[in-house]
């Protein structure tokens, strides 16, 4: 039976080989790193959501500008303050971008970064408007990252109750139809968060829940309000009175906030959730056609440990079925370009000198053309796990273009393509790649061909 | 595909490319054209086409009853953002079926709903997810790949499957010199998936170049007086317009089927505002097809299908939640427009599905099947057995002229 192989380890469970960071030599090395401290978060910090430039400042500043008289001095002053806020938020976001890529280039504990990407996608939030777009990375830093080796239920609560999720899935304006506000303002429910909680975040669409459960959960969640002007709060006057029954369990509704915590606890502990999460992990890391035995093993560990994600991830590493030699998955675009930066070992100085425009031109826009917009999936179901999806002709064209043209813009002196084959592909290099690397007309062509190769793009 | 052909494809010029050399194009056995547009996210049928004649409508939707809707027949009115299509309604070139759905019921998931709509039925577990348009093409032997085009960034899954079809998306550039192409061909040689994808990418980039001429003619047609009148004086722009222009250009040639999708329909909040953009894009897409196709529009049917409709009542956030029955918009000179193409159950609570959604009165797949029967002469047994296995076609709704 197949077992640990460093070539599989760096691609399937990491961001690829690096000329700077040594690849894990054993399974236990990966596990020790993952169980240990999150050194990248310390070394390249990104503000937590609560510590980032507060989202709640943006909207009042905008409002103040609108209220001031057109052409007045007051308006000009307020506009300056708003512009300063936006400029500061942009700069913060650029700094997060630098830190993000530095982590991916420098880390030894690459599985942790892959887990952060996996869980960010599991709880997809795609917001294109307003101040939230500056806060997506701080949200991940606070609500996702600390929990990837912690408990699932803690992550579920941290993300579900974050203002961004409440806003994204319409919960921030959902009212119990019979609540005080619901009756007086003739407003009602929005089912979206309740539905996605069941369908995507916990049980999965195959789970045994019905439209009635969606509706009851939506009623139970009422009271969680969000406004741009004042942020998040629990508001009794918006909560649907009476009890609700979700998946056969009745919640009294007498203590709305405690009931919401309780239903999230119950959803996280539901046996179908264990199966759904286990399956998603295997589909993401190992194969889109998952081995049922492997899935059931991880689900059992999830259930036995109360959703301890370190234990579940470790079980995946320990299971020989995770080490099938065939690499049938394709690196999605963000991972592909990040692996490229890691293989090229782009310097900290160069990354810090890049403007947001440079990031857009060299990394974000190309990845968008490959089908993946940075932290903006097209819906709450996240990005595709299907290899064929990422290799449509138009996405393929964008991959080839990036590989052939961007390395020389990201690094002033490209390596000799022949040594680049070794440092980038390790034991995955085949004879034809050595041949084309030596037949390349120049360094950019040789390096590009290595990055465009199936050996580099598969995992 | 052998290596030699791959290397040729990678290195060759557009003019010499087999796919776009006119003599290499096989004619399909049909003269009519079918365009299938998937509206992703669940279009609110009763906002696009408002049953204002039902007194419940205003009651259910106090915030979704904006002024400026155009009266169609005293009972139905057309959303203001679809006003550019009003002349088509008058000319009998656009109509709608107000209450249809796929067999999907229950969980109202976009993703399951779209899968079922594009596959054309419930998928057997573990089956290859092929699309119904592809299965339709398979019933006619000997067609070439350019008979059908999947257009746009998101490949049309209606066309997924065993029968070869072509793909195109705006703005595909590969940017390889012949030397790099040759070397790349060598490293892709042993990986069939990369090999095929790269070859398609290169073909697509050359098709786009070769179509520049046709595109200019379509641009002229779009600036005609007729078209400018409908569009309120401005030439529409955007990805959807590029997609429609390309589809029209191919349909003027040997292509007979084109499929693509438009998204943005999931209007949970502030729908009065949020639905304007997708409706406008839809109207522009149809008018671009019409302008681009010129006289061929008379031989064309366009079906706009969505995974489900939305709740009859507006929700707490002045939007609507996922529902069941929805509307199918259709257009084209080959179809019988200017009329409501099917029954509507009304909005009385007892007539709603689950007391919340529009009750579907027919299977949307049956309408698609009858349109293919009418346009392409496909037999009903083929349609019921192979294209939509297990579907009962029912009576012909006579959408085709």
């Amino acid at each position: 039976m197949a077992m640990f192989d460093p070539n599989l380890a760096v691609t399937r469970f990491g961001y690829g080989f690096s000329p700077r960071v040594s690849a894990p030599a054993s399974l236990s090395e990966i596990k020790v790193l993952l169980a240990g401290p999150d050194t990248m978060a310390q070394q390249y910090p990104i503000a937590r959501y609560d510590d980032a430039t507060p989202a709640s400042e943006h909207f009042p500043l905008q409002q103040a500008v609108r209220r001031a008289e057109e052409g007045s001095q007051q308006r000009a002053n307020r506009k300056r303050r708003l512009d300063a806020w936006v400029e500061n938020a942009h700069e913060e976001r650029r700094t997060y971008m630098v830190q993000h890529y530095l982590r991916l280039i420098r880390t030894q504990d690459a599985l942790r970064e892959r887990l952060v990407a996996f869980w960010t996608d599991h709880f997809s939030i795609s917001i294109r408007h307003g101040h939230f777009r500056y806060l997506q990375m701080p949200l991940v830093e606070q609500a996702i990252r600390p929990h990837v080796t912690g408990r699932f239920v803690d992550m579920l609560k941290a993300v579900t109750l974050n203002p961004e999720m409440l806003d994204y899935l319409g919960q921030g304006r959902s009212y119990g139809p019979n609540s005080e506000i619901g009756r007086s303002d003739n407003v009602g429910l929005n089912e979206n968060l309740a539905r996605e909680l069941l369908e995507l975040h916990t049980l999965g669409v195959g789970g045994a829940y019905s439209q009635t459960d969606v509706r009851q959960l939506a009623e139970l969640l009422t009271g969680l309000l969000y406004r741009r002007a004042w942020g998040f709060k629990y508001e009794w006057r918006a909560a649907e009175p009476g009890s609700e029954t979700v998946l056969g369990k009745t919640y009294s509704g007498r203590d709305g906030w405690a009931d919401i915590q309780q239903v999230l606890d119950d959803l996280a502990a539901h046996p179908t959730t264990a199966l759904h999460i286990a399956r998603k992990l295997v589909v993401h890391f190992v194969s889109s056609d998952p081995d049922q035995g492997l899935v059931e093993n991880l689900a059992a560990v999830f259930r036995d440990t109360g959703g301890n994600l370190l234990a579940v991830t470790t079980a995946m590493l320990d299971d020989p079925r995770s080490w099938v030699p065939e690499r049938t998955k394709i690196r999605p675009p963000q991972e592909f370009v990040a692996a490229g930066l890691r293989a090229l070992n782009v310097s900290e100085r160069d990354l810090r000198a890049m403007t947001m425009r440079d990031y857009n031109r060299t990394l974000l826009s190309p990845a968008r053309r490959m089908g993946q917009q940075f932290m903006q999936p097209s819906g709450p179901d996240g990005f595709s796990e299907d290899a064929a999806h990422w290799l449509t002709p138009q996405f393929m064209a964008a991959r080839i273009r990036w590989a052939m043209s961007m390395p020389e813009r990201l690094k002033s002196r490209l390596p000799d393509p022949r040594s680049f084959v070794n440092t980038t592909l390790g034991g995955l290099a085949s004879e034809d790649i050595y041949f084309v690397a030596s037949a390349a007309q120049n360094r950019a062509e040789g390096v590009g061909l290595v990055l465009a190769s199936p050996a580099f793009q598969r995992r | 595909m052998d290596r030699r052909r791959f290397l040729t494809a990678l290195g060759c010029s557009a003019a010499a490319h087999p796919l776009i050399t006119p003599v290499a194009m096989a004619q399909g056995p049909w003269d009519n054209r079918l365009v299938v547009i998937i509206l992703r996210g669940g279009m609110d049928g009763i906002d696009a086409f408002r049953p204002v004649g039902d007194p419940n409508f205003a009651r259910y939707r106090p915030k979704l009853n904006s002024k400026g809707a155009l009266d169609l027949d005293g009972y139905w009115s057309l959303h203001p953002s679809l006003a550019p299509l009003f002349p088509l309604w008058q000319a009998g070139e656009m109509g709608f079926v107000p209450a249809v759905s796929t067999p999907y019921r229950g969980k109202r998931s976009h993703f399951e709903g779209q899968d079922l709509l594009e596959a054309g039925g419930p998928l057997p577990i573990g089956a290859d997810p092929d699309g119904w348009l592809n299965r339709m093409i398979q019933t006619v032997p000997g067609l070439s790949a350019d008979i059908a085009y999947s257009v746009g960034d998101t490949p049309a899954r209606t066309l997924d499957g065993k029968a070869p079809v072509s793909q195109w998306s705006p703005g595909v550039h590969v940017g390889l010199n012949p030397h790099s192409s040759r070397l790349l061909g060598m490293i892709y040689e042993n990986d069939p998936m990369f090999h095929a994808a790269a070859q398609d990418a290169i073909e697509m980039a050359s098709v786009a170049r070769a179509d520049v001429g046709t595109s200019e003619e379509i641009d002229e047609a779009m600036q005609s007086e007729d078209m400018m009148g409908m569009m309120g004086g401005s030439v529409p722009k955007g990805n959807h317009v590029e997609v429609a222009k390309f589809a029209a250009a191919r349909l003027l040639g040997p292509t007979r089927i084109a499929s693509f999708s438009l998204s943005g329909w999931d209007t949970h909040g502030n729908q009065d505002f949020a639905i304007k953009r997708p409706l406008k894009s839809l109207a522009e897409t149809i008018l671009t097809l019409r302008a681009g196709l010129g006289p061929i529009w008379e031989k064309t049917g366009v079906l706009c299908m969505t995974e489900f409709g939305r709740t009859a009542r507006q929700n707490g956030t002045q939007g609507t939640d996922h529902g069941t029955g929805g509307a199918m918009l259709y257009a084209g000179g080959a179809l019988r427009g200017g009329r409501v193409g099917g029954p509507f159950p009304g909005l009385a609570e007892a007539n709603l599905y689950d007391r919340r959604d529009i009750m579907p009165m027919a299977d949307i797949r049956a309408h698609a099947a009858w349109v293919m029967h009418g346009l392409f002469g496909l037999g009903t047994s083929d349609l019921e057995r192979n294209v939509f296995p297990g579907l009962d076609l029912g009576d012909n709704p006579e959408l085709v002229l």
Side-chain angles (χ1 to χ4, degrees), chain B residues 18-276:
Chain B
L19 193 79
I20 49 177
T21 304
V23 290
M25 284 185 173
Q27 291 290 334
W30 311 308
D31 199 23
N32 287 328
R33 273 75 165 171
L34 174 64
V35 180
V36 173
I37 306 176
I38 302 293
L39 309 177
R40 291 184 196 284
M43 178 179 74
D44 186 14
I46 64 166
D47 199 3
F49 300 96
R50 298 175 175 174
V52 292
D54 187 316
N56 292 303
F57 183 77
R59 213 160 53 78
Y60 287 170
R61 300 181 157 226
K63 301 283 186 187
L64 299 178
N65 198 6
S66 56
K67 290 198 176 58
L70 289 97
D71 176 43
L72 294 176
D73 64 356
Y75 182 88
W76 293 97
S77 57
L78 186 66
H79 190 285
S81 297
L82 287 179
L85 298 182
F86 189 63
L88 273 63
W89 168 268
Q90 290 174 307
E93 295 174 13
M94 185 275 280
F96 64 101
V97 191
V100 284
S101 75
T102 68
Y104 180 57
R105 293 291 182 276
K107 287 186 178 163
R108 300 173 176 82
S109 151
H110 290 301
F111 322 112
E112 287 191 324
Q114 287 171 24
D115 284 353
L116 200 149
L117 173 64
E118 291 169 291
L123 288 171
I125 307 263
D128 268 345
D130 57 352
W132 53 273
L133 281 172
N134 193 287
R135 288 196 300 274
M136 188 269 273
I137 295 164
Q138 290 172 35
T139 65
V140 184
L143 295 178
S144 62
D146 54 352
I147 194 73
Y149 258 90
S150 155
V151 200
D153 293 341
T154 321
R157 285 178 294 164
T158 48
L159 277 165
D160 276 359
K162 284 198 281 290
V165 299
S166 303
Q167 285 185 52
W168 182 81
S169 170
V172 174
H173 307 290
V174 184
L176 284 174
N177 64 46
H179 186 261
S180 314
S181 289
R182 264 197 308 281
L183 295 179
L184 197 61
M186 290 176 71
I187 45 177
Y188 285 173
E189 192 184 347
N190 294 318
D191 191 315
M193 200 167 172
F194 276 79
H195 181 98
Q199 201 226 359
D200 287 349
I202 283 144
E203 284 183 1
M204 207 182 261
S206 21
V207 169
R209 279 199 299 276
D211 270 324
V212 170
T214 325
S215 172
E216 278 163 10
E217 283 165 36
I218 293 177
D219 282 339
E220 276 172 38
M222 285 174 67
Q223 286 165 33
S224 68
E225 218 172 289
D226 177 37
M227 179 78 175
M228 296 304 275
M230 288 188 275
M231 289 313 311
S234 63
V235 181
K237 288 195 180 66
N239 200 61
H240 60 287
V241 175
E242 294 308 310
V243 163
K245 276 160 70 171
F246 177 83
R250 305 314 295 174
L251 291 164
L252 290 173
T255 297
R256 292 295 173 265
I257 296 157
S259 187
F260 50 90
S261 58
L262 290 174
S263 55
W265 300 96
D266 193 20
T267 48
H268 283 282
N270 225 350
Q271 177 169 318
D272 188 39
F273 173 78
I275 202 169
K276 282 182 185 168

Side-chain angles (χ1 to χ4, degrees), chain A residues 108-375:
Chain A
Q108 260 196 307
D109 185 12
L111 176 55
R112 184 187 304 274
E113 306 298 335
R114 286 282 307 283
L115 288 167
V116 171
F118 169 80
W119 287 108
T120 303
D121 187 70
H122 181 72
F123 290 107
S124 273
I125 295 177
S126 178
I127 290 186
R128 293 178 177 81
H129 63 266
H131 52 257
F132 279 144
R133 63 179 180 270
Y134 306 118
L135 290 169
Q136 286 191 296
M137 283 190 265
L139 166 67
V140 170
E141 203 66 10
Q142 174 163 321
I144 304 272
R145 192 170 179 104
H147 304 301
V148 301
T149 52
R151 295 195 315 150
F152 174 73
V153 65
D154 295 332
M155 194 190 297
L156 177 69
K157 287 179 180 172
V159 187
T160 306
L161 301 175
N162 185 282
E164 291 212 32
M165 186 62 95
L166 297 177
D167 186 65
Y168 177 48
L169 293 179
Q171 184 62 40
R173 287 175 184 273
S174 181
Y175 303 89
N178 301 304
S179 67
E180 196 180 319
I181 300 178
R183 275 198 319 260
S184 69
D185 298 2
N186 194 24
V187 287
L189 282 183
N190 182 321
E191 298 178 349
N192 214 5
L193 177 64
R195 178 182 313 284
E196 305 307 12
L197 260 175
L198 290 167
E199 176 182 331
L200 300 173
H201 301 157
T202 60
L203 274 65
V205 73
Y209 66 91
S210 67
Q211 170 61 31
T212 313
D213 292 312
V214 172
R215 190 85 189 164
Q216 289 280 300
L217 180 56
E219 289 184 4
L220 190 55
L221 293 173
T222 53
L224 295 172
L225 283 194
Y226 171 75
R227 285 292 180 287
R228 283 188 292 181
W230 41 253
F232 161 80
K233 72 172 169 191
Y234 185 81
E235 173 55 80
W236 267 107
R237 294 182 307 133
E240 180 71 359
S243 64
E244 280 92 18
T245 302
V246 180
L247 300 170
K249 178 169 170 180
T250 301
Y251 301 82
S252 73
R254 275 194 294 278
D255 185 353
W257 179 245
D259 280 343
I260 290 168
Q261 300 281 332
Q262 186 60 51
V263 79
L264 292 174
D265 278 322
D266 293 339
L267 289 176
H270 198 285
T272 313
T273 299
L275 203 59
H276 178 56
I277 298 299
R279 188 170 196 286
K280 272 195 83 166
L281 273 165
V282 177
V283 164
H284 178 77
F285 283 98
V286 184
S287 165
S288 300
D289 182 14
D291 181 296
Q292 203 48 39
L294 176 56
V295 171
E296 275 157 23
N297 175 24
L298 302 197
V301 174
F302 189 105
R303 280 191 287 262
D304 294 347
T305 61
N308 178 324
L309 297 179
L310 180 61
V312 175
T313 308
T314 305
M316 176 165 70
L317 294 172
D318 282 335
D319 194 315
R321 289 166 290 198
S322 300
W323 297 89
V324 284
E326 295 76 28
R327 300 187 304 147
T328 53
K329 305 281 300 180
I330 305 293
R331 279 180 172 150
Q334 290 295 343
E335 189 186 318
F336 170 59
V337 299
L341 294 182
R342 187 172 163 94
L344 291 164
N345 189 24
V346 175
S347 77
E348 179 163 356
R349 205 189 49 179
D350 285 351
L351 279 175
R352 293 212 182 278
M354 279 165 68
T355 62
M356 202 57 220
R357 192 141 172 240
D358 295 331
Y359 278 97
N360 280 324
R361 263 200 300 238
T362 55
L363 302 172
L364 307 187
S365 299
R368 181 175 50 73
R369 282 193 288 271
M370 299 173 207
Q372 196 175 37
Q373 196 161 357
F374 190 75
M375 298 189 86

Side-chain angles (χ1 to χ4, degrees), chain A residues 192 195, chain B residues 108 110 266 268 308-311 321-323 356-357:
Chain A
N192 214 5
R195 178 182 313 284
Chain B
R108 300 173 176 82
H110 290 301
D266 193 20
H268 283 282
F308 44 61
R310 308 187 71 85
T311 47
D321 289 318
H322 302 180
R356 57 174 263 152
D357 305 338

